[in-house]
Amino acid sequence: QFKTGIVVEEKEIEAPIPADSPYYSYVPPALGGTAREIKLSLALAESYKAIFTEVVRLAVDYLRQGEKIFICVKTKAQQEQVRDRIMALYPCHIELISAQNDLSLTADEPNDIMVLITTLSHVEGYSVADRRIAINPVIFSDQPARDQRDARLNDPGQIYPSITLITVHGGILSYIAARYEKTKNVSKAVKGFAKDIGVEDTKEILRQIE
């Protein structure tokens, strides 16, 4: 990793699960719910729903403060979902980074792009050094990919003396994320989580979060 001298503030925010969410009927008491056994796919879907709601809320809050935002998600479908939800609340110039749209943004070339949204497939070879806020849903990936993602802001050309990297988690994914931070290994984190809640087969969990 290259030392840039930029101050990096890392924040973790837990997305609230609404009281009327069906999430609580999908998870057992050990996870704050009422189910006798976990309904994994449904619980994960509600967890992701809460996370993306919080990502959009945070993005709009920062946009209203005049900040430009960088967001990294897993898939193209998620890129489009986040873009559309932000646009519905705060219409502005949003770009999706892809192999066909590879942008490098610096202070030397002013632009009106308020939100850049990429995926982990496109976290190399460009700079977004004209903004200082990153808001990312929790993504379970290898550390080098996450380092590359964060380096888009933590760049020698960064115009700000400090940047803020925000990770949003929630529901089941909060429990897995806590274990992942200790092990830095997705499989180990999921196995530990599954053992805690009495689930033997971890393949379905890994399939949905990787």
Side-chain angles (χ1 to χ4, degrees):
Q1 295 185 25
F2 185 80
K3 300 295 184 182
T4 62
I6 297 164
V7 176
V8 179
E9 180 184 9
E10 296 188 57
K11 293 183 178 181
E12 287 193 9
I13 294 180
E14 183 171 355
I17 305 290
D20 60 352
S21 170
Y23 171 83
Y24 300 102
S25 64
Y26 300 151
V27 298
L31 298 177
T34 59
R36 291 185 178 181
E37 59 182 35
I38 191 167
K39 297 177 182 177
L40 185 59
S41 296
L42 295 172
L44 280 169
E46 290 299 315
S47 298
Y48 277 117
K49 184 186 296 185
I51 287 169
F52 280 103
T53 295
E54 185 67 8
V55 167
V56 170
R57 186 194 70 78
L58 287 167
V60 170
D61 280 353
Y62 277 110
L63 287 167
R64 286 173 175 159
Q65 296 172 40
E67 295 283 358
K68 294 182 174 183
I69 311 298
F70 180 63
I71 299 172
C72 180
V73 295
K74 284 179 61 177
T75 66
K76 180 181 177 181
Q78 289 177 355
Q79 276 184 305
E80 294 171 349
Q81 176 193 18
V82 172
R83 176 198 62 198
D84 294 347
R85 292 181 65 179
I86 291 174
M87 283 293 290
L89 296 171
Y90 192 93
C92 62
H93 187 173
I94 299 176
E95 290 283 349
L96 307 185
I97 293 178
S98 66
Q100 293 74 41
N101 191 29
D102 197 1
L103 299 171
S104 282
L105 305 179
T106 66
D108 299 330
E109 299 180 6
N111 64 82
D112 66 348
I113 301 171
M114 297 303 294
V115 183
L116 274 172
I117 310 175
T118 192
T119 69
L120 276 184
S121 299
H122 302 289
V123 290
E124 297 181 10
Y126 63 90
S127 171
V128 290
D130 68 331
R131 58 203 64 212
R132 57 185 173 182
I133 305 292
I135 305 170
N136 304 309
V138 62
I139 298 176
F140 301 99
S141 64
D142 57 66
Q143 191 62 42
R146 295 199 296 171
D147 288 342
Q148 286 288 345
R149 175 198 66 190
D150 296 344
R152 296 316 96 213
L153 268 69
N154 192 6
D155 182 274
Q158 174 60 252
I159 64 175
Y160 294 102
S162 65
I163 60 175
T164 301
L165 308 177
I166 302 171
T167 301
V168 182
H169 54 81
I172 283 180
L173 296 168
S174 291
Y175 295 90
I176 299 175
R179 284 187 167 275
Y180 181 72
E181 285 306 309
K182 294 178 181 179
T183 64
K184 301 298 182 183
N185 182 287
V186 180
S187 181
K188 288 181 180 179
V190 168
K191 286 180 180 178
F193 168 73
K195 183 178 179 181
D196 287 347
I197 62 173
V199 174
E200 294 183 3
D201 185 3
T202 62
K203 292 181 181 179
E204 180 63 17
I205 304 177
L206 287 169
R207 185 186 71 80
Q208 295 193 51
I209 70 172
E210 287 187 315

